[in-house]
């Protein structure tokens, strides 16, 4: 969960730059130092302060807001709450302006889906375009097609509704706000994806890259580069690309990645410090930090490599999920978790 406080309403933009961000973590000690180092990097890069809120026990989706109350109530400005496992076009300025216009306690962003029976559906009050009347979980009959997109803007008064205990904002806080007529919805335009699972993460990456391409974003590598095939390729400037490679469509290559000669990459993400050696073939795969894919290796079918994984030369991995610090020397012919 991400919490973005310190909001105001200048007449020109409707939104002030965030000066602080609160990140919520359930403590996992081996990871905590890494997270703090990453936060320090982003603080310097973006000129912001990042506060890590550590839970001694999991507090659900509302309890962490109460835990961070001392940060969120430094002033009376509304704050954003984001589920960190989604990707979309984040309409912060428009959302902030809409929230201010209706004057009630909360606004949740909703997105329209083709099969609402799989989700909890947001239903508006009759004759009202945004005020929420109720939530219907996995409706059998059609009552609407808007679902919670996991992005909220809330007034600090919402914190008075939350106790410091394991609490669900979706099942406890929001229904109480609805009963008091204090919750509205805001329609999200453009793409949206829950990226909490590897296959969805890859799909979400494709949607994000497609969105950048439509905007003509300079973040994408120019399609005129000889190794770009099919477009939608993002490569960090520190990465090194070998000769005669074929990369794309829908590929992200992170910082300090090394790609050897004759490598084929498509619909994949190579995280920081990873290496793909000569003539490897990687498709629908997430290559973890500092991992190595050997020469002539072949990875596909939503393969996921954890941190510091080594795939030996000429090894085939079909849908394998490889835990960190493992070396794979034999083929993984069918999807499996390798511990």
């Amino acid at each position: 969960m991400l919490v973005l406080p310190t909001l105001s309403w200048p007449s020109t933009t409707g939104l002030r730059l965030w000066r602080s961000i609160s990140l919520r973590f359930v403590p996992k000690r081996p990871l905590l130092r890494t997270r703090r180092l990453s936060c320090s990097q982003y603080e310097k890069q973006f000129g912001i302060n990042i506060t890590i809120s550590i839970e001694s026990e999991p507090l659900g989706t509302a309890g962490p807001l109460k835990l961070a109350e001392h940060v969120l109530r430094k002033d009376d400005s509304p704050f954003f709450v984001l589920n960190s496992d989604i990707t979309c076009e984040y309409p912060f300025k428009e959302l902030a302006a809409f929230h201010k216009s209706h004057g009630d306690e909360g606004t949740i962003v909703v997105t329209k889906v083709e099969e609402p029976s799989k989700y909890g559906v947001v239903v508006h009050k009759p004759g009202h375009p945004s005020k929420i009347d109720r939530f219907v979980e996995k409706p059998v009959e059609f009552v609407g097609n808007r679902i919670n997109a996991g992005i909220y803007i809330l007034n600090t008064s919402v914190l008075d509704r939350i106790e410091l205990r394991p609490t669900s904002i979706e099942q406890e806080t929001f229904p109480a706000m609805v009963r008091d007529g204090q919750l509205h919805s805001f329609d999200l335009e453009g793409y949206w994806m829950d990226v909490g699972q590897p296959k969805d993460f890859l799909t979400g990456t494709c949607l994000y890259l497609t969105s950048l391409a439509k905007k003509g974003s300079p973040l994408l590598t120019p399609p005129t580069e000889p190794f770009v095939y099919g477009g939608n390729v993002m490569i960090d400037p520190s990465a090194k690309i070998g000769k005669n490679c074929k990369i794309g469509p829908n590929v992200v290559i992170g910082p300090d990645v090394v790609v050897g000669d004759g490598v084929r990459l498509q619909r994949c993400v190579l995280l920081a410090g990873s290496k793909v050696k000569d003539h490897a073939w990687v498709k629908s795969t997430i290559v973890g930090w500092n991992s190595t894919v050997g020469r002539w290796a072949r990875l596909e079918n939503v393969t996921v490599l954890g941190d510091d994984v080594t795939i030996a030369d000429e090894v085939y991995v079909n849908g394998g999920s490889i835990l960190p610090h493992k070396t794979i020397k034999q083929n993984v012919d069918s999807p499996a978790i390798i511990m």
Side-chain angles (χ1 to χ4, degrees):
M1 177 187 291
L2 306 181
V3 181
L4 309 179
T6 316
L7 196 63
S8 66
W9 315 103
S11 59
T12 52
T13 64
L15 184 66
R16 187 172 70 192
L17 291 176
W18 302 302
R19 300 186 186 279
S20 62
I21 296 178
S22 178
L23 305 177
R24 165 252 184 144
F25 285 109
V26 178
K28 296 181 179 179
R29 296 302 176 187
L31 295 177
L32 193 53
R33 182 173 178 273
T34 301
R35 299 300 187 196
R36 282 177 172 151
L37 289 173
S38 297
C39 288
S40 177
Q41 170 191 340
Y42 291 125
E43 283 179 324
K44 293 178 182 177
Q45 182 177 351
F46 296 109
I48 58 175
N49 296 320
I50 298 177
T51 302
I52 301 177
S53 180
I54 303 172
E55 300 165 46
S56 58
E57 63 172 332
L59 292 174
T61 53
L65 299 180
K66 192 69 172 181
L67 186 64
E69 186 171 16
H70 65 289
V71 176
L72 301 176
R73 273 200 150 133
K74 286 182 177 178
D75 57 39
D76 292 330
S77 300
F79 57 90
F80 291 107
V81 180
L82 315 178
N83 289 351
S84 57
D85 58 354
I86 62 169
T87 183
C88 67
E89 301 278 5
Y90 291 93
F92 291 122
K93 292 182 180 179
E94 296 84 357
L95 177 57
F98 174 76
H99 180 74
K100 182 187 178 184
S101 71
H102 66 64
D104 289 328
E105 275 193 309
T107 306
I108 70 174
V109 175
V110 295
T111 185
K112 296 179 181 179
V113 295
E114 293 182 359
E115 297 184 29
S117 61
K118 295 180 179 180
Y119 304 92
V121 174
V122 174
V123 181
H124 290 150
K125 286 186 177 296
H128 200 289
S130 70
K131 185 166 284 190
I132 297 174
D133 181 63
R134 65 190 190 279
F135 301 97
V136 180
E137 187 66 26
K138 297 182 179 179
V140 177
E141 297 181 355
F142 183 85
V143 294
N145 64 346
R146 291 177 171 88
I147 67 168
N148 184 346
I151 303 172
Y152 322 124
I153 182 169
L154 306 172
N155 293 349
T156 54
S157 58
V158 171
L159 299 171
D160 296 329
R161 298 177 177 270
I162 302 171
E163 298 178 9
L164 187 56
R165 60 175 176 81
T167 315
S168 168
I169 198 169
E170 298 86 358
Q171 297 179 11
E172 298 178 60
T173 311
F174 286 162
M177 294 172 68
V178 166
R179 287 193 295 271
D180 293 340
Q182 289 292 313
L183 191 61
H184 292 251
S185 74
F186 175 89
D187 284 349
L188 178 68
E189 301 296 331
Y191 74 95
W192 177 88
M193 190 75 193
D194 181 326
V195 294
Q197 298 296 322
K199 64 181 180 63
D200 298 327
F201 176 83
L202 290 169
T203 299
T205 298
C206 295
L207 293 172
Y208 172 63
L209 294 173
T210 298
S211 174
L212 291 180
K214 290 179 179 178
K215 298 174 182 177
S217 172
L219 294 174
L220 294 179
T221 302
T224 52
E225 290 286 348
F227 53 80
V228 173
Y229 181 79
N232 291 8
V233 173
M234 180 189 291
I235 302 176
D236 188 88
S238 63
K240 297 179 181 178
I241 309 298
K243 301 176 182 177
N244 302 316
C245 292
K246 203 170 185 179
I247 300 175
N250 298 312
V251 173
V252 176
I253 298 176
D256 302 314
V257 170
V258 177
V259 177
D261 296 339
V263 168
R264 179 69 175 106
L265 303 174
Q266 51 186 316
R267 201 174 184 272
C268 62
V269 175
L270 311 184
L271 297 178
S274 58
K275 297 180 181 178
V276 180
K277 294 186 177 180
D278 297 351
H279 307 294
W281 194 94
V282 181
K283 180 180 180 181
S284 295
T285 291
I286 303 168
V287 178
W289 302 275
N290 307 304
S291 291
T292 300
V293 178
R295 294 175 179 84
W296 295 102
R298 182 182 180 108
L299 280 61
E300 62 182 349
N301 192 23
V302 194
T303 287
V304 181
L305 308 186
D307 184 15
D308 186 35
V309 168
T310 299
I311 305 296
D313 295 349
E314 302 180 22
V315 165
Y316 172 59
V317 182
N318 174 26
S321 296
I322 319 298
L323 271 63
H325 314 300
K326 299 294 180 182
T327 297
I328 305 300
K329 296 182 178 180
Q330 296 181 336
N331 290 349
V332 179
D333 294 317
S334 58
I337 298 174
I338 309 298
M339 305 178 66

